Amino acid sequence: MKASDVLPDGRDLGQFNGVAVRKGTVGAFLANARVCLDPQAPAQAVADARRDILEALPALNALGLFEVLQVRDPALRAWLLEMGAAAG
């Protein structure tokens, strides 16, 4: 399956398990996770990244991201589970 099979060109939003998911949600999660894991990241950047991750969790769970992939960093994984990620 190709990305265009999931969300065709020209569409920025899709419905997955009853949740509207924007194109780029998984990529944004990865970028925000990298900020959270960066020991040099300013506290405000980490706080912003965590806020953005929290906002994206319903979409990430609807996609089943955490049913297939596990976050390797134990602290970030524990925080995600605490915040409501579907699986660890």
Side-chain angles (χ1 to χ4, degrees):
M1 179 176 292
K2 297 178 182 179
S4 60
D5 296 328
V6 176
L7 203 55
D9 289 341
R11 289 197 47 213
D12 294 330
L13 187 72
Q15 290 287 324
F16 299 88
N17 295 313
V19 177
V21 179
R22 287 187 48 81
K23 188 180 277 188
T25 298
V26 173
F29 167 73
L30 294 171
N32 286 317
R34 285 186 190 102
V35 172
C36 291
L37 297 177
D38 181 356
Q40 301 297 319
Q44 187 59 55
V46 173
D48 292 344
R50 284 184 173 224
R51 182 202 62 234
D52 292 342
I53 288 171
L54 284 176
E55 290 175 6
L57 273 183
L60 297 169
N61 286 328
L63 291 170
L65 181 72
F66 303 112
E67 294 171 16
V68 176
L69 303 175
Q70 182 181 66
V71 174
R72 289 174 37 181
D73 181 79
L76 182 57
R77 183 174 59 243
W79 180 79
L80 284 166
L81 287 170
E82 181 181 326
M83 294 298 119

Coordinates of all heavy atoms in Angstrom, one line a residue:
M1 N 0.8 -1.2 0.0 CA 0.0 0.0 0.0 C 0.9 1.2 0.0 O 1.9 1.3 0.7 CB -0.9 0.0 1.2 CG -1.8 1.2 1.3 SD -3.0 1.2 2.7 CE -4.0 -0.1 2.2
K2 N 0.5 2.2 -0.8 CA 1.2 3.5 -0.9 C 0.5 4.5 -0.1 O -0.7 4.4 0.2 CB 1.3 3.9 -2.3 CG 2.1 2.9 -3.2 CD 2.2 3.4 -4.6 CE 2.9 2.3 -5.4 NZ 3.0 2.7 -6.8
A3 N 1.2 5.6 0.3 CA 0.6 6.7 1.0 C -0.6 7.2 0.3 O -1.7 7.6 0.9 CB 1.6 7.8 1.3
S4 N -0.6 7.3 -1.1 CA -1.7 7.8 -1.9 C -2.9 6.9 -1.8 O -4.0 7.3 -2.1 CB -1.2 8.1 -3.3 OG -0.8 6.9 -3.9
D5 N -2.7 5.6 -1.4 CA -3.8 4.7 -1.3 C -4.6 5.0 0.0 O -5.8 4.8 0.1 CB -3.4 3.3 -1.3 CG -2.7 2.8 -2.6 OD1 -3.2 3.3 -3.6 OD2 -1.8 2.0 -2.5
V6 N -3.9 5.5 1.0 CA -4.5 5.9 2.3 C -5.2 7.2 2.2 O -6.3 7.4 2.7 CB -3.4 5.8 3.4 CG1 -4.0 6.2 4.8 CG2 -2.8 4.4 3.5
L7 N -4.4 8.2 1.7 CA -5.0 9.6 1.6 C -4.5 10.1 0.2 O -3.3 10.5 0.1 CB -4.4 10.4 2.7 CG -5.2 11.6 3.1 CD1 -6.7 11.3 3.4 CD2 -4.6 12.3 4.3
P8 N -5.4 10.1 -0.8 CA -5.0 10.5 -2.1 C -4.4 11.9 -2.2 O -4.8 12.8 -1.3 CB -6.3 10.4 -2.9 CG -7.2 9.5 -2.1 CD -6.8 9.8 -0.7
D9 N -3.7 12.2 -3.2 CA -3.2 13.6 -3.5 C -4.4 14.5 -3.5 O -5.4 14.2 -4.0 CB -2.4 13.6 -4.8 CG -1.1 12.9 -4.7 OD1 -0.6 12.7 -3.6 OD2 -0.5 12.6 -5.8
G10 N -4.2 15.7 -3.0 CA -5.2 16.7 -3.0 C -6.1 16.6 -1.8 O -7.0 17.5 -1.6
R11 N -6.0 15.6 -1.0 CA -6.8 15.4 0.3 C -5.9 15.6 1.4 O -4.8 14.9 1.5 CB -7.5 14.1 0.3 CG -8.6 14.0 -0.7 CD -9.6 12.9 -0.5 NE -10.1 12.8 0.9 CZ -10.4 11.7 1.5 NH1 -10.3 10.5 0.8 NH2 -10.9 11.7 2.7
D12 N -6.3 16.4 2.4 CA -5.4 16.7 3.6 C -6.0 16.0 4.8 O -5.4 16.1 5.9 CB -5.3 18.2 3.8 CG -4.5 18.8 2.7 OD1 -3.6 18.2 2.1 OD2 -4.7 20.0 2.4
L13 N -7.2 15.4 4.7 CA -7.9 14.9 5.9 C -8.6 13.6 5.5 O -9.2 13.5 4.4 CB -8.9 16.0 6.3 CG -9.7 15.8 7.6 CD1 -8.8 16.0 8.8 CD2 -10.9 16.7 7.7
G14 N -8.6 12.7 6.4 CA -9.3 11.4 6.2 C -9.9 11.0 7.5 O -9.6 11.4 8.6
Q15 N -10.9 10.1 7.4 CA -11.6 9.6 8.5 C -11.1 8.2 8.8 O -11.1 7.3 7.9 CB -13.1 9.5 8.3 CG -13.8 10.8 8.2 CD -13.9 11.5 9.6 OE1 -14.1 10.8 10.6 NE2 -13.8 12.8 9.7
F16 N -10.6 7.9 10.0 CA -10.1 6.6 10.4 C -10.7 6.2 11.7 O -10.5 7.0 12.7 CB -8.5 6.7 10.5 CG -7.9 7.0 9.2 CD1 -7.7 8.3 8.8 CD2 -7.5 6.0 8.3 CE1 -7.1 8.7 7.6 CE2 -6.9 6.3 7.1 CZ -6.7 7.7 6.7
N17 N -11.4 5.2 11.7 CA -12.1 4.7 12.9 C -12.9 5.8 13.5 O -12.9 6.0 14.8 CB -11.1 4.1 13.9 CG -10.5 2.8 13.4 OD1 -11.2 2.0 12.8 ND2 -9.2 2.7 13.5
G18 N -13.6 6.6 12.7 CA -14.4 7.7 13.2 C -13.8 9.0 13.6 O -14.4 9.8 14.2
V19 N -12.5 9.1 13.4 CA -11.7 10.2 13.9 C -11.1 10.9 12.6 O -10.5 10.2 11.8 CB -10.6 9.8 14.8 CG1 -9.7 11.0 15.2 CG2 -11.1 9.2 16.1
A20 N -11.2 12.2 12.5 CA -10.6 13.0 11.5 C -9.1 13.1 11.7 O -8.7 13.5 12.8 CB -11.2 14.4 11.4
V21 N -8.3 12.6 10.7 CA -6.9 12.6 10.8 C -6.3 13.4 9.7 O -6.6 13.2 8.5 CB -6.3 11.2 10.8 CG1 -4.8 11.2 10.9 CG2 -6.9 10.3 11.9
R22 N -5.5 14.4 10.0 CA -4.9 15.3 9.0 C -3.6 14.5 8.4 O -2.9 13.8 9.2 CB -4.4 16.6 9.6 CG -5.5 17.5 9.9 CD -5.0 18.9 10.3 NE -4.0 19.5 9.5 CZ -4.2 20.1 8.3 NH1 -5.4 20.2 7.9 NH2 -3.2 20.6 7.6
K23 N -3.4 14.8 7.2 CA -2.1 14.3 6.6 C -1.0 15.0 7.3 O -1.0 16.1 7.6 CB -2.1 14.8 5.1 CG -1.0 14.2 4.3 CD -1.0 14.6 2.8 CE -2.0 13.8 2.1 NZ -1.9 14.1 0.6
G24 N 0.0 14.2 7.6 CA 1.2 14.7 8.3 C 1.2 14.4 9.8 O 2.1 14.8 10.5
T25 N 0.1 13.8 10.3 CA 0.0 13.6 11.8 C 1.1 12.7 12.3 O 1.7 13.0 13.4 CB -1.4 13.0 12.1 OG1 -2.4 13.9 11.7 CG2 -1.6 12.7 13.6
V26 N 1.4 11.7 11.6 CA 2.5 10.8 12.1 C 3.8 11.4 12.0 O 4.6 11.3 12.9 CB 2.4 9.4 11.4 CG1 3.6 8.5 11.8 CG2 1.1 8.7 11.7
G27 N 4.1 12.1 10.9 CA 5.3 12.9 10.8 C 5.5 13.9 11.9 O 6.6 14.1 12.4
A28 N 4.4 14.6 12.2 CA 4.5 15.6 13.3 C 4.7 15.0 14.6 O 5.5 15.5 15.4 CB 3.2 16.4 13.3
F29 N 4.1 13.8 14.8 CA 4.4 13.1 16.1 C 5.9 12.7 16.2 O 6.5 12.9 17.2 CB 3.5 11.8 16.2 CG 4.0 10.9 17.2 CD1 3.8 11.2 18.6 CD2 4.7 9.7 16.9 CE1 4.2 10.3 19.6 CE2 5.2 8.9 17.9 CZ 4.9 9.2 19.3
L30 N 6.5 12.2 15.1 CA 7.9 11.9 15.1 C 8.8 13.1 15.4 O 9.7 13.0 16.2 CB 8.3 11.2 13.8 CG 7.6 9.8 13.5 CD1 7.9 9.4 12.1 CD2 8.1 8.8 14.6
A31 N 8.5 14.2 14.8 CA 9.2 15.4 15.0 C 9.1 15.9 16.5 O 10.1 16.3 17.1 CB 8.8 16.5 14.1
N32 N 7.9 15.8 17.0 CA 7.7 16.2 18.4 C 8.3 15.3 19.4 O 8.9 15.7 20.4 CB 6.2 16.3 18.7 CG 5.6 17.6 18.1 OD1 6.2 18.7 18.1 ND2 4.4 17.4 17.5
A33 N 8.3 14.0 19.1 CA 9.0 13.0 19.9 C 10.5 13.3 20.0 O 11.1 13.2 21.0 CB 8.7 11.6 19.4
R34 N 11.1 13.6 18.8 CA 12.5 13.9 18.8 C 12.8 15.1 19.7 O 13.9 15.1 20.4 CB 13.0 14.2 17.4 CG 13.1 13.0 16.5 CD 13.7 13.3 15.1 NE 13.5 12.1 14.3 CZ 12.6 12.0 13.4 NH1 11.8 12.9 13.1 NH2 12.6 10.8 12.6
V35 N 11.9 16.1 19.7 CA 12.2 17.3 20.6 C 12.1 16.8 22.0 O 13.0 17.2 22.8 CB 11.1 18.4 20.3 CG1 11.2 19.5 21.4 CG2 11.3 19.0 18.9
C36 N 11.1 16.0 22.4 CA 11.0 15.5 23.7 C 12.3 14.7 24.2 O 12.6 14.7 25.4 CB 9.8 14.6 23.9 SG 8.2 15.5 23.8
L37 N 12.9 14.0 23.2 CA 14.1 13.2 23.6 C 15.4 14.0 23.5 O 16.4 13.4 23.9 CB 14.1 12.0 22.6 CG 13.0 11.1 22.6 CD1 13.1 10.0 21.6 CD2 12.8 10.5 24.0
D38 N 15.4 15.2 23.0 CA 16.6 16.0 22.9 C 16.9 16.6 24.2 O 16.3 17.5 24.7 CB 16.4 17.1 21.8 CG 17.6 17.9 21.6 OD1 18.6 17.8 22.3 OD2 17.5 18.8 20.7
P39 N 18.0 16.2 24.8 CA 18.4 16.8 26.1 C 18.8 18.3 26.1 O 18.8 19.0 27.1 CB 19.6 15.9 26.6 CG 20.1 15.3 25.4 CD 19.0 15.2 24.4
Q40 N 19.1 18.7 24.8 CA 19.4 20.1 24.6 C 18.2 21.0 24.3 O 18.3 22.2 24.2 CB 20.4 20.3 23.5 CG 21.7 19.5 23.7 CD 22.5 20.0 24.9 OE1 22.6 21.2 25.1 NE2 23.0 19.1 25.7
A41 N 17.0 20.4 24.2 CA 15.8 21.2 23.8 C 15.4 22.1 25.0 O 15.4 21.6 26.1 CB 14.7 20.2 23.5
P42 N 15.1 23.3 24.7 CA 14.6 24.2 25.7 C 13.3 23.7 26.3 O 12.5 23.0 25.7 CB 14.3 25.5 25.0 CG 15.1 25.4 23.7 CD 15.1 24.0 23.4
A43 N 13.1 23.9 27.6 CA 11.9 23.4 28.3 C 10.6 23.8 27.6 O 9.6 23.0 27.5 CB 11.9 24.0 29.8
Q44 N 10.5 25.1 27.1 CA 9.3 25.5 26.4 C 9.1 24.7 25.1 O 7.9 24.4 24.8 CB 9.4 27.0 26.0 CG 8.0 27.5 25.5 CD 6.9 27.3 26.5 OE1 6.9 27.7 27.6 NE2 5.8 26.7 26.0
A45 N 10.1 24.3 24.4 CA 10.0 23.5 23.2 C 9.5 22.1 23.5 O 8.6 21.6 22.8 CB 11.3 23.4 22.5
V46 N 10.0 21.6 24.6 CA 9.5 20.3 25.1 C 8.0 20.4 25.5 O 7.2 19.5 25.1 CB 10.3 19.7 26.2 CG1 9.7 18.4 26.8 CG2 11.8 19.4 25.7
A47 N 7.7 21.4 26.2 CA 6.3 21.6 26.6 C 5.4 21.7 25.4 O 4.3 21.2 25.3 CB 6.1 22.8 27.5
D48 N 5.8 22.5 24.4 CA 5.0 22.7 23.2 C 4.9 21.3 22.4 O 3.8 21.0 21.9 CB 5.7 23.7 22.3 CG 5.6 25.1 22.8 OD1 4.8 25.4 23.7 OD2 6.4 26.0 22.3
A49 N 6.0 20.6 22.4 CA 5.9 19.3 21.7 C 5.0 18.3 22.4 O 4.2 17.6 21.7 CB 7.3 18.7 21.6
R50 N 5.0 18.3 23.7 CA 4.1 17.4 24.5 C 2.7 17.9 24.3 O 1.8 17.0 24.1 CB 4.5 17.4 25.9 CG 5.7 16.6 26.2 CD 6.0 16.5 27.7 NE 7.1 15.6 27.9 CZ 7.1 14.7 28.9 NH1 6.1 14.6 29.8 NH2 8.1 13.9 29.1
R51 N 2.4 19.1 24.2 CA 1.0 19.6 24.0 C 0.6 19.2 22.6 O -0.6 18.7 22.5 CB 1.0 21.2 24.1 CG -0.4 21.7 23.9 CD -0.4 23.2 23.4 NE 0.3 23.3 22.2 CZ 1.3 24.1 21.9 NH1 1.7 24.9 22.9 NH2 1.8 24.2 20.7
D52 N 1.4 19.3 21.6 CA 1.1 18.9 20.3 C 0.8 17.4 20.2 O -0.1 16.9 19.5 CB 2.1 19.3 19.2 CG 2.1 20.8 19.1 OD1 1.2 21.5 19.5 OD2 3.2 21.3 18.6
I53 N 1.6 16.6 20.9 CA 1.5 15.2 20.9 C 0.1 14.8 21.6 O -0.6 14.0 21.1 CB 2.6 14.5 21.7 CG1 3.9 14.5 20.8 CG2 2.2 13.0 22.0 CD1 5.1 14.0 21.6
L54 N -0.2 15.5 22.7 CA -1.5 15.2 23.3 C -2.7 15.5 22.4 O -3.6 14.7 22.4 CB -1.6 16.1 24.6 CG -0.8 15.6 25.8 CD1 -1.0 16.6 26.9 CD2 -1.3 14.2 26.2
E55 N -2.6 16.6 21.7 CA -3.7 16.9 20.7 C -3.8 15.9 19.6 O -4.9 15.6 19.1 CB -3.4 18.3 20.1 CG -3.6 19.4 21.1 CD -3.3 20.8 20.5 OE1 -3.0 20.9 19.3 OE2 -3.3 21.8 21.3
A56 N -2.7 15.2 19.3 CA -2.7 14.3 18.2 C -3.0 12.9 18.6 O -3.3 12.0 17.8 CB -1.3 14.3 17.5
L57 N -3.0 12.6 19.9 CA -3.2 11.2 20.4 C -4.5 10.6 19.9 O -4.5 9.4 19.5 CB -3.2 11.1 21.9 CG -1.8 11.0 22.5 CD1 -1.9 10.8 24.0 CD2 -1.0 9.8 21.9
P58 N -5.6 11.3 19.9 CA -6.8 10.6 19.3 C -6.6 10.1 17.9 O -7.0 9.0 17.5 CB -7.9 11.7 19.4 CG -7.5 12.6 20.5 CD -6.0 12.6 20.4
A59 N -6.0 10.9 17.1 CA -5.7 10.5 15.7 C -4.7 9.4 15.6 O -4.9 8.4 14.8 CB -5.2 11.8 14.9
L60 N -3.7 9.5 16.4 CA -2.7 8.4 16.4 C -3.2 7.1 16.8 O -2.9 6.0 16.3 CB -1.5 8.8 17.3 CG -0.7 10.1 16.8 CD1 0.3 10.5 17.8 CD2 0.0 9.8 15.4
N61 N -4.1 7.1 17.9 CA -4.8 5.9 18.3 C -5.8 5.4 17.3 O -5.8 4.2 17.1 CB -5.5 6.2 19.7 CG -4.6 6.3 20.8 OD1 -3.5 5.7 20.8 ND2 -4.9 7.1 21.8
A62 N -6.5 6.3 16.6 CA -7.4 5.9 15.5 C -6.7 5.2 14.4 O -7.2 4.2 13.8 CB -8.2 7.1 15.0
L63 N -5.5 5.7 14.1 CA -4.6 5.0 13.1 C -4.1 3.7 13.5 O -3.6 2.9 12.7 CB -3.5 5.9 12.7 CG -3.9 7.2 11.9 CD1 -2.7 8.1 11.8 CD2 -4.4 6.9 10.6
G64 N -4.0 3.5 14.9 CA -3.5 2.2 15.4 C -2.0 2.2 15.5 O -1.3 1.2 15.6
L65 N -1.4 3.4 15.5 CA 0.1 3.5 15.5 C 0.7 2.7 16.7 O 1.7 2.0 16.4 CB 0.5 5.0 15.6 CG 2.0 5.3 15.6 CD1 2.5 5.0 14.2 CD2 2.3 6.7 16.0
F66 N 0.2 2.9 17.9 CA 0.8 2.2 19.0 C 0.4 0.8 19.2 O 1.0 0.1 20.0 CB 0.5 3.0 20.3 CG 0.9 4.5 20.2 CD1 0.0 5.5 20.1 CD2 2.2 4.8 20.1 CE1 0.3 6.8 20.0 CE2 2.6 6.2 20.0 CZ 1.7 7.1 20.0
E67 N -0.5 0.3 18.3 CA -0.8 -1.1 18.3 C 0.3 -1.9 17.4 O 0.5 -3.1 17.6 CB -2.1 -1.4 17.7 CG -3.3 -0.9 18.6 CD -4.6 -0.9 17.9 OE1 -4.7 -1.6 16.8 OE2 -5.5 -0.2 18.3
V68 N 1.0 -1.1 16.6 CA 2.0 -1.7 15.7 C 3.4 -1.4 16.1 O 4.3 -2.2 16.0 CB 1.7 -1.2 14.2 CG1 2.8 -1.7 13.3 CG2 0.3 -1.6 13.8
L69 N 3.6 -0.1 16.5 CA 4.9 0.3 16.9 C 5.0 0.7 18.4 O 4.0 1.2 19.0 CB 5.3 1.6 16.1 CG 5.2 1.4 14.6 CD1 5.5 2.8 13.9 CD2 6.2 0.4 14.1
Q70 N 6.2 0.5 19.0 CA 6.4 0.8 20.4 C 7.4 1.9 20.4 O 8.5 1.8 19.7 CB 6.8 -0.4 21.1 CG 7.0 -0.1 22.6 CD 7.5 -1.3 23.4 OE1 8.6 -1.8 23.1 NE2 6.7 -1.8 24.2
V71 N 7.2 2.9 21.2 CA 8.2 4.0 21.4 C 9.3 3.4 22.2 O 9.1 2.8 23.3 CB 7.5 5.2 22.2 CG1 8.6 6.2 22.5 CG2 6.4 5.8 21.3
R72 N 10.5 3.5 21.7 CA 11.7 2.9 22.4 C 12.1 3.5 23.7 O 12.6 2.8 24.6 CB 12.9 2.8 21.4 CG 12.6 1.8 20.3 CD 13.6 1.8 19.2 NE 15.0 2.0 19.6 CZ 16.0 2.1 18.8 NH1 15.9 1.9 17.5 NH2 17.2 2.3 19.3
D73 N 12.0 4.8 23.7 CA 12.5 5.5 24.9 C 11.5 5.2 26.1 O 10.3 5.5 26.0 CB 12.5 7.0 24.7 CG 13.0 7.8 25.9 OD1 14.2 7.8 26.2 OD2 12.1 8.3 26.7
P74 N 12.0 4.6 27.2 CA 11.1 4.2 28.3 C 10.3 5.4 28.9 O 9.1 5.3 29.2 CB 12.0 3.6 29.3 CG 13.3 3.3 28.6 CD 13.4 4.2 27.5
A75 N 10.9 6.5 29.1 CA 10.2 7.7 29.7 C 9.2 8.2 28.8 O 8.0 8.5 29.3 CB 11.2 8.8 30.1
L76 N 9.4 8.4 27.5 CA 8.4 8.9 26.6 C 7.3 7.9 26.4 O 6.1 8.2 26.4 CB 9.1 9.2 25.2 CG 8.1 9.8 24.2 CD1 7.4 11.1 24.7 CD2 8.9 10.0 22.9
R77 N 7.7 6.6 26.4 CA 6.6 5.5 26.3 C 5.7 5.5 27.5 O 4.5 5.5 27.4 CB 7.3 4.2 26.1 CG 6.3 3.0 25.9 CD 7.0 1.7 25.6 NE 7.9 1.3 26.7 CZ 9.2 1.1 26.5 NH1 9.8 1.4 25.4 NH2 10.0 0.7 27.5
A78 N 6.3 5.7 28.7 CA 5.5 5.7 29.9 C 4.6 6.9 29.9 O 3.4 6.8 30.3 CB 6.4 5.7 31.2
W79 N 5.1 8.1 29.5 CA 4.3 9.3 29.5 C 3.1 9.1 28.5 O 2.0 9.5 28.8 CB 5.1 10.5 29.1 CG 4.4 11.8 29.0 CD1 4.0 12.6 30.1 CD2 3.9 12.4 27.8 NE1 3.3 13.7 29.6 CE2 3.2 13.6 28.2 CE3 4.0 12.1 26.5 CZ2 2.6 14.5 27.3 CZ3 3.4 13.0 25.6 CH2 2.7 14.1 26.0
L80 N 3.4 8.6 27.3 CA 2.3 8.3 26.3 C 1.2 7.4 26.9 O 0.1 7.7 26.7 CB 2.9 7.7 25.0 CG 3.7 8.7 24.2 CD1 4.5 8.0 23.1 CD2 2.7 9.7 23.5
L81 N 1.6 6.3 27.5 CA 0.7 5.4 28.1 C -0.2 6.2 29.2 O -1.4 6.0 29.3 CB 1.4 4.2 28.7 CG 1.9 3.2 27.7 CD1 2.8 2.2 28.4 CD2 0.7 2.6 27.0
E82 N 0.5 7.0 30.0 CA -0.2 7.7 31.0 C -1.2 8.7 30.4 O -2.3 8.9 30.9 CB 0.8 8.5 31.9 CG 0.3 9.3 33.0 CD 1.3 10.1 33.7 OE1 2.5 9.6 33.9 OE2 1.1 11.2 34.1
M83 N -0.8 9.3 29.3 CA -1.7 10.2 28.6 C -2.8 9.6 27.7 O -3.6 10.3 27.2 CB -0.8 11.2 27.7 CG 0.1 12.1 28.5 SD -0.8 13.1 29.6 CE -0.1 12.6 31.2
G84 N -2.7 8.3 27.6 CA -3.8 7.7 26.8 C -3.5 7.0 25.5 O -4.4 6.8 24.7
A85 N -2.2 6.8 25.2 CA -1.9 6.1 24.0 C -2.5 4.7 24.1 O -2.5 4.1 25.2 CB -0.4 6.0 23.8
A86 N -2.9 4.1 23.0 CA -3.7 2.8 23.1 C -2.9 1.7 23.5 O -3.4 0.8 24.2 CB -4.2 2.6 21.7
A87 N -1.6 1.6 23.2 CA -0.8 0.4 23.6 C 0.6 0.9 23.8 O 1.0 2.0 23.5 CB -0.8 -0.6 22.4
G88 N 1.4 0.0 24.4 CA 2.8 0.3 24.7 C 3.6 -0.6 24.1 O 4.8 -0.7 24.1

